[in-house]
Amino acid sequence: MPVTIDLRQAVLHKVHGQSEEDLRAMIEGSVDGPEAALPGLGVMFEMVWKDLEKAKQDRVISMLHRHLEKMTPGSIMS
């Protein structure tokens, strides 16, 4: 029977034991990189989010909101 793990487990398995430099390289290589990297960034963001106090979460939300207000999304229709 094949072993199955969920996406979170797969990402955590891949990054477990990496140095801070390795983590930075993984994140920087994923930002503006291939869309396949986005789920991994999401798992990393989830870990950080859970560790933030509410005031810091509020600052992150404000920062994201400011960025979203400045951008004009492209058409989702091809």
Side-chain angles (χ1 to χ4, degrees):
M1 173 178 242
V3 175
T4 59
I5 59 175
D6 66 24
L7 180 61
R8 283 180 184 90
Q9 291 173 331
V11 170
L12 295 175
H13 179 74
K14 182 175 180 177
V15 299
H16 184 264
Q18 289 189 358
S19 69
E20 289 183 11
E21 294 82 17
D22 292 337
L23 290 172
R24 177 179 294 276
M26 185 273 298
I27 291 168
E28 289 178 349
S30 298
V31 171
D32 292 327
E35 288 192 9
L38 294 177
L41 288 176
V43 172
M44 298 287 102
F45 179 79
E46 180 181 64
M47 291 173 57
V48 171
W49 181 262
K50 288 179 176 182
D51 198 41
L52 292 176
E53 298 170 357
K54 184 179 181 324
K56 289 182 180 180
Q57 288 177 343
D58 292 344
R59 289 199 323 246
V60 170
I61 294 298
S62 293
M63 179 179 28
L64 288 169
H65 188 258
R66 281 192 311 276
H67 282 278
L68 290 169
E69 283 184 326
K70 293 178 188 176
M71 66 179 291
T72 303
S75 173
I76 60 170
M77 306 300 282
S78 23

